[in-house]
Amino acid sequence: MPSYTAPTKDMQFVLHDVLNISASDIPGYSDLEVDFTGAVLEEAGKLTANVVAPLNVVGDREGCTLENGVVRTPTGFKAAFDEVRAGGWTALDMPEQYGGQNMPYVLGTAIGEMFSSANQAFTMYQGLTHGAASAILAHGTDQQKDTYLPKMASCDWTGTMNLTEPHCGTDLGLMRTKAEPQGDGSYKITGQKIFISAGDHDLADNIIHLVLAKIIGGPEGIKGVSLFIVPKVLVNEDGSLGARNGVSVGNLEEKMGIHGNSTCVMNYDSAVGYLLGEEHKGMRAMFTMMNEARLGVGMQGLAQAEVAYQNAVIYAKDRLQGRAVTGTENPNGPADPLIVHPDIRRSLMDQKSFVEGARAFILWGASLIDQAHRKDDKDADGLISLMTPVIKGFLTDQGYDMTVKAQQIYGGHGYIEEHGMSQFTRDARIAQIYEGANGVQALDLVGRKLAADGGKPVMAFFDLLKNFIKENDANEALKKDFLDPLKAASKDLQASAMYFMQSGMKNPNNALSGSNDFMHLFGHVCLGLMWGRMAVAAQAALDAGTSDAAFYETKLATGRYYMARQLPATALHLARIQTGADTVMALDAASF
Ligand SMILES: Cc1cc2nc3c(=O)[nH]c(=O)nc-3n(C[C@H](O)[C@H](O)[C@H](O)COP(=O)(O)OP(=O)(O)OC[C@H]3O[C@@H](n4cnc5c(N)ncnc54)[C@H](O)[C@@H]3O)c2cc1C
């Protein structure tokens, strides 16, 4: 059975040494003192390691079942969900008015990583609820907020997001689900949605479905899509539960991973729905919280990579195979542990340098979201919107690759189910697909985000890089290993952006043939910047005579690895981008 230990020390390092959150002027951040965040993270760490993680394998093996139209979650999920709920962990960043704790998003994100590492399928029930509640908070009437939010904050009622239909996932303008006005302010919703996460289950008294549908007679295509609240059980005026709505589960999908989460075909048969936000503005309402939702999925990439890495380290220290080429390291044993071998080290360093860099990137992104929301800072909003497809696409692609590397360390024992390593790869895979498949993230980055607001956010990102390098250029301890590689990678990023501006304008296929490479190039630069910032913080702690020198030395050594062995990938991505569309589009469709 795999194990999980929450990386609280590393989280504290990012929050305090790197981001220096308690000194920030973002409202709510001054409460985030080292002792406070340390205590909250420790508690969350115990809960996730002891209660949530042990159910990960159970959920994978048992899966959910559909009997007589009712979905049952795996053994133990309900009791654990009740414990998480009772501890107030489901509404950390919700307003106090609705039963939340109004904590900054950055802290909720660190805790979210723990939950997701411990058990992604389980955590999705509260994650989807949080997404639906956030949309109601942003677009609901006072009455809708009062009716739904307190129950959703506590997860007495959970939530779902219903976009996908059998014939449309990316191109939602093709949607067929209809909404018919009833003259009393309500609508009758009719249609079928597929792949709906947490669509039905036995964890909560009610499920509040947010459903995209087209109001009859409205505009064609995506401009005619509106968002509706469709409760599984109708809610009476006094807040009590009333009659069953016309919502049913058509089927439970069999799938590659996240077996503990119910993925449902949902049928809406003249179900009563209430408009959320404005008519025909459904996409805007659904995507208001897009940056958070996509950051949350990017975090799943990190989370699965983290837990897979932790187990790979344990195995590499324990499994005895072969001898170290430079001389025996375990003379009393029949062989040396795997960890002596350079190729195993390479793989572990790939994983370690990724998860630590990704964690800094995610928490920095979460702090930008706090800055945008809590300070109404448009520049922070522009920057996080630019980086959102990078966080989602790059971190889930890399996160998946890292779970494969961790699995590889187990050899054949990684492929069989006994050690649980295959579950990490299978669970990590979905994050590359849902919440906008990664190919579409790359399109969004190149097609929309680069040119957004006249290119202001991307220029701001380049300034940020330039200023960081300039401010630290005199730091001789870091120059060669950190700043010079970052400078080279930044040049690759600039050259690729320039290529898109020049050649992409002439032929859009040139830009779109390089979009995936660009997303990865951008991601490496972001992680390079994070490692630069972590190196500055670690060096400062060492210079100040920290009593924990080993931690900071390890941080510097891990960062040096990333800069030397991972960051140079930017040159290959640039070379590919600059070849344009010629070889990509050379064949006609019939030649495939
Ligand atoms: C386990 C699971 C849980 C899910 N949970 C939910 C949920 O809770 N709610 C919900 O509404 N949906 C959910 N989904 C659906 C998911 O969001 C979609 O599957 C996803 O958005 C892709 O849509 P699609 O499957 O229709 O693929 P398509 O849209 O058909 O795309 C197929 C492929 O083509 C690519 N592609 C599409 N258009 C373009 C283009 N213009 N240029 C280049 N490439 C393109 C895509 O990147 C993708 O790789 C879930 C799916 C799964 C498997």
Side-chain angles (χ1 to χ4, degrees), residues 124 128 160-172 193-199 210 212 253 255-258 261-264 286 430 432-441 443 512 515:
M124 285 171 67
L128 267 300
T160 69
M161 308 294 251
N162 293 240
L163 296 81
T164 309
E165 298 186 6
H167 58 286
C168 71
T170 303
D171 189 356
L172 291 169
K193 298 285 178 179
I194 62 165
F195 303 163
I196 303 310
S197 297
L210 295 196
L212 284 178
E253 306 286 3
K255 54 194 193 293
M256 175 178 175
I258 54 165
N261 193 267
S262 55
T263 308
C264 301
M286 186 63 109
I430 186 58
Q432 298 174 283
I433 296 169
Y434 59 21
E435 195 57 47
N438 284 358
V440 176
Q441 299 300 322
L443 290 189
L512 300 188
S515 57

Side-chain angles (χ1 to χ4, degrees), residues 47 54 114 135-137 143 163 175 206 250 335 350 406 498 544 579 587:
L47 178 71
M114 296 182 192
I136 295 175
L137 184 64
Q143 196 209 351
L163 296 81
M175 185 175 297
N206 200 3
D350 281 349
M498 189 61 76
T579 65
L587 302 180

Side-chain angles (χ1 to χ4, degrees), residues 442-502:
L443 290 189
D444 179 43
L445 177 64
V446 170
R448 246 181 260 144
K449 298 294 171 62
L450 266 189
D453 199 7
K456 207 170 141 198
V458 77
M459 293 319 292
F461 182 80
F462 285 135
D463 283 347
L464 207 136
L465 275 171
K466 206 169 63 193
N467 293 340
F468 174 80
I469 292 167
K470 206 161 122 196
E471 275 162 24
N472 294 288
D473 222 22
N475 192 333
E476 280 306 318
L478 303 180
K479 191 170 173 351
K480 184 169 104 358
D481 294 339
F482 288 90
L483 300 171
D484 290 349
L486 185 58
K487 225 183 271 181
S490 309
K491 279 191 189 142
D492 291 342
L493 185 65
Q494 267 166 333
S496 58
M498 189 61 76
Y499 173 83
F500 288 141
M501 267 178 237
Q502 289 165 351

Side-chain angles (χ1 to χ4, degrees), residues 560-591:
R560 276 186 206 108
Y561 179 90
Y562 192 87
M563 303 312 261
R565 304 275 305 218
Q566 296 285 18
L567 196 56
T570 58
L572 176 61
H573 288 303
L574 173 63
R576 285 195 193 131
I577 288 167
Q578 288 175 332
T579 65
D582 289 351
T583 55
V584 173
M585 302 300 281
L587 302 180
D588 54 21
S591 305

Side-chain angles (χ1 to χ4, degrees), residues 107-149:
L107 188 57
T109 301
I111 293 166
E113 183 202 314
M114 296 182 192
F115 271 91
S116 211
S117 280
N119 193 331
Q120 181 172 324
F122 174 90
T123 301
M124 285 171 67
Y125 293 101
Q126 70 203 62
L128 267 300
T129 308
H130 187 275
S134 299
I136 295 175
L137 184 64
H139 300 285
T141 61
D142 286 345
Q143 196 209 351
Q144 287 171 334
K145 290 185 205 171
D146 292 342
T147 304
Y148 299 107
L149 291 182

